[in-house]
Amino acid sequence: MKTLLEITTSIFSDSGQSSRLAKRFVAAWRQINPDGEVIVRDLTKEPVPHIDAGRFGALLAKPAERTPEQQAVVAYSDALVEELKRADIIVLGLPMYNFAVPSTLKAYFDHIARAGVTFRYTETGTAVGLLTGKKVYVFAARGGLYGGTASDSQTQYLRHFLSFLGLDDVEFVYAEGLAVSDTARQEGIARAEAQVDRLVQREAARMCECGCD
Ligand SMILES: Cc1cc2nc3c(=O)[nH]c(=O)nc-3n(C[C@H](O)[C@H](O)[C@H](O)COP(=O)(O)O)c2cc1C
């Protein structure tokens, strides 16, 4: 049985365009994985608190020395990490807000990047990600047009961060130009939806190669 972790970050929750694309993929994935497990993490409905000195200190404290408050902080972070570890596939809805990833996603990242848990340093100082063997699909929605240009401030950051945790197999689908005009919006969404559908077909074909009837 496969596990899919769906992370959405739109301020509009399920109605955000990035969430809709993510959910389109997840709905189709459920059809081809009827026994699969889907874990939903909506960072707008349940925001992760911003990291602060107290929370960071709790994550660094030795287990035997943690106060009850620190234990609660670590347990919360552990639960987020556990979802990631369980997932075979991670689906991320990614709006662009002011040229960056949503602040809710950054807060989430600050709780899951943990030395000795999701990455470690070798003796030579190289970082090694510990969340390996997973596929990540990113469904990005933007008002403007940035794909493939130096102005795309999200893609490189996200690839770098995910790779730091060992998540190297990352594929992006972009719905762009959503604020340019009605026509550009419709075309951008239609293109992205068609790409989502192709990804699902590919997933289905892969499953058959691995042994469907
Ligand atoms: C607060 C805010 C900031 C935005 N900043 C940008 C931006 O910097 N660049 C851009 O292309 N679109 C920007 N947009 C447009 C969004 O990227 C677009 O509406 C997209 O659909 C958001 O994804 P969502 O519908 O999943 O929330 C912004 C929208 C909002 C609400």
Side-chain angles (χ1 to χ4, degrees):
M1 184 185 81
K2 292 213 168 205
T3 298
L4 182 153
L5 172 61
E6 174 191 324
I7 305 169
T8 53
T9 62
S10 170
I11 54 173
F12 306 108
S13 222
D14 292 357
S15 13
Q17 194 52 56
S18 58
S19 312
R20 286 182 194 209
L21 290 171
K23 286 186 181 301
R24 185 182 184 94
F25 179 92
V26 174
W29 185 87
R30 280 185 197 268
Q31 300 270 318
I32 57 173
N33 290 277
D35 300 328
E37 176 195 23
V38 175
I39 304 169
V40 177
R41 183 151 289 277
D42 182 330
L43 295 178
T44 294
K45 287 184 185 150
E46 282 185 75
V48 171
H50 278 117
I51 199 88
D52 56 20
R55 285 185 167 268
F56 191 59
L59 297 175
L60 294 185
K62 292 193 175 115
E65 295 170 9
R66 285 177 195 146
T67 65
E69 292 76 21
Q70 287 179 321
Q71 281 168 13
V73 169
V74 175
Y76 177 72
S77 168
D78 282 349
L80 297 178
V81 170
E82 197 45 43
E83 284 179 355
L84 281 164
K85 284 187 176 165
R86 265 172 62 195
D88 303 290
I89 300 181
I90 298 163
V91 168
L92 172 63
L94 180 75
M96 180 182 279
Y97 296 143
N98 295 311
F99 308 102
V101 303
S103 57
T104 47
L105 183 63
K106 177 62 169 59
Y108 172 80
F109 284 169
D110 288 338
H111 280 73
I112 60 161
R114 288 178 49 198
V117 180
T118 52
F119 70 92
R120 69 179 175 83
Y121 286 109
T122 64
E123 282 173 7
T124 55
T126 313
V128 179
L130 302 176
L131 296 176
T132 52
K134 301 172 193 304
K135 176 86 196 179
V136 183
Y137 290 110
V138 181
F139 299 102
R142 289 107 178 254
L145 299 158
Y146 308 91
T149 74
S151 313
D152 184 351
S153 45
Q154 287 184 320
T155 303
Q156 196 195 351
Y157 164 70
L158 205 62
R159 278 195 188 283
H160 187 73
F161 177 80
L162 295 175
S163 171
F164 184 74
L165 302 186
L167 298 164
D168 292 312
D169 190 357
V170 184
E171 221 164 323
F172 283 75
V173 171
Y174 301 97
E176 292 205 304
L178 305 188
V180 171
S181 66
D182 283 348
T183 308
R185 179 179 176 80
Q186 283 162 16
E187 286 175 0
I189 292 172
R191 253 195 312 273
E193 286 180 347
Q195 210 178 333
V196 171
D197 296 347
R198 281 196 295 274
L199 291 179
V200 175
Q201 281 164 14
R202 197 186 61 194
E203 282 280 325
R206 269 193 198 147
M207 282 180 61
C208 270
E209 281 166 21
C210 295
C212 69
D213 302 333

